[in-house]
Amino acid sequence: MQWTGPPDGVETTALITAYARAQETRRPDRLFTDSKAAAFVEAAAGAAITGSGRLPRLGPARDDGSSALWTSLGTYFTVRTPFYDNALIAAAAAGCRQAVILGAGMDARAYRFTLGPSMTIFEIDTAPVLQFKQAVLDATGDPPSTRRVGVAADLRDDWASALQACGFMATAPTVWLAEGLLIYLNAQQADELLTTITAQSAPGSRFAGEYLNRPPRMSDVALDDPGDIAVARVFVNAANTGPVDDPEPWLHRHEWTGKGRNFLTEITSHSRPVPQLFDPAKSDPLTLWLVSAALTANHAAHGAD
């Protein structure tokens, strides 16, 4: 199948996240394996992996180690992945029979994990993203290991109704994965998102997400390549912080009990170098919170009234 690149509406962040996962999959010390990631990269770039084994360049993502910006972004996309993997696996083991991936992009967890015949993974994203993704997956010819349902919806609209129309049951325990999402929302939008999630959550439900302590700045990474500068400006302009509270009080206000894990802890636990973007030696370092939570007993009691 010949590709000329993704259609309009396919988010760059979804594609370069797949790029980072494809790079990680090829490492001997990889943190995970994503066998679909390289196919997304080749389809988006309109080019195959080169004879040297390098991935074709895709926007800011490059496979030659020459970009400080991509080193930071690639580390971010890669190291957060096991956090969400573990959240999904633990929730399934605890009895969650539904998973909802918000802004799923090129997520391939339905192919990477066998979570049993009673588990369904709902992937919410815009129609162009899901259509491009499905075409690439169809070309690989492999069926998913866990039942997968695409939900074409914009998270700025009534996505909960679209989710229910696709078979989601608000009465069943669900694990919600908001990977790479809250950082693009302001505090009010983050509150509205979690409020909607809470309203759709049954007792036993779980949540995982991440957000920043402040908006990113151009000065967070040393940039000298004009292309990297242009890309960094796009990301800086698009990014926000998410919630303004620390993780525990923010979750508690929305009837969840949980905690935040500093991304630096995640990086060092995997013996990976800290990238410039999250250098703690800066005067005002950028902090990323990885958040995990469970629905509180108060919500369960309220839901039973």
Side-chain angles (χ1 to χ4, degrees):
M1 189 172 189
Q2 297 296 315
W3 293 92
T4 58
D8 292 341
V10 178
E11 296 290 341
T12 300
T13 51
L15 297 171
I16 63 174
T17 299
Y19 198 105
R21 290 173 176 163
Q23 285 183 310
E24 183 67 18
T25 296
R26 297 158 63 208
R27 289 180 61 139
D29 62 342
R30 56 186 171 271
L31 303 180
F32 57 85
T33 299
D34 186 339
S35 63
K36 303 300 179 186
F40 293 130
V41 171
E42 291 181 313
I49 295 174
T50 66
S52 65
R54 286 182 177 172
L55 296 167
R57 182 168 176 173
L58 185 62
R62 59 186 84 168
D63 207 12
D64 59 6
S66 64
S67 169
L69 174 63
W70 179 245
T71 297
S72 285
L73 291 177
T75 299
Y76 165 47
F77 296 140
T78 296
V79 175
R80 77 182 184 191
T81 297
F83 172 80
Y84 290 96
D85 289 350
N86 293 335
L88 174 62
I89 293 168
C96 288
R97 306 282 22 108
Q98 300 177 131
V100 178
I101 303 178
L102 299 153
M106 303 300 116
D107 189 287
R109 289 185 172 96
Y111 290 81
R112 293 173 53 214
F113 300 115
T114 301
L115 300 174
S118 61
M119 171 64 89
T120 299
I121 296 179
F122 294 92
E123 299 178 358
I124 302 180
D125 218 312
T126 61
V129 171
L130 294 178
Q131 290 164 2
F132 170 76
K133 179 178 184 177
Q134 191 61 56
V136 176
L137 291 172
D138 287 346
T140 69
D142 300 321
S145 302
T146 298
R147 181 172 181 262
R148 169 179 169 266
V149 176
V151 181
D154 191 317
L155 291 173
R156 294 168 294 187
D157 298 328
D158 183 13
W159 58 266
S161 294
L163 179 61
Q164 292 176 1
C166 289
F168 173 83
M169 296 181 295
T171 55
T174 302
V175 54
W176 303 84
L177 303 185
E179 185 172 11
L181 175 59
L182 294 175
I183 63 171
Y184 295 106
L185 306 181
N186 60 33
Q188 179 180 343
Q189 292 167 333
D191 281 345
E192 291 172 351
L193 179 73
L194 193 52
T195 295
T196 302
I197 289 172
T198 304
Q200 304 298 314
S201 295
S205 293
R206 298 189 178 195
F207 171 80
E210 91 250 20
Y211 64 91
L212 299 166
N213 66 320
R214 63 166 174 79
R217 303 167 184 149
M218 293 294 292
S219 59
D220 285 328
V221 178
L223 301 168
D224 52 19
D225 179 86
D228 281 356
I229 292 172
V231 169
R233 187 169 290 114
V234 170
F235 277 99
V236 166
N237 289 340
N240 214 302
T241 60
V244 294
D245 299 327
D246 286 340
E248 289 83 353
W250 179 64
L251 292 164
H252 183 73
R253 282 198 295 111
H254 293 277
E255 301 184 84
W256 296 81
T257 299
K259 60 184 179 179
R261 178 177 172 89
N262 192 313
F263 187 57
L264 288 178
T265 303
E266 199 75 7
I267 292 173
T268 55
S269 71
H270 293 301
S271 301
R272 296 293 173 89
V274 176
Q276 287 185 26
L277 186 63
F278 299 104
D279 183 358
K282 296 174 184 175
S283 59
D284 184 17
L286 189 66
T287 299
L288 180 78
W289 294 111
L290 295 170
V291 176
S292 57
L295 203 60
T296 63
N298 287 339
H299 178 84
H302 175 73
D305 288 344

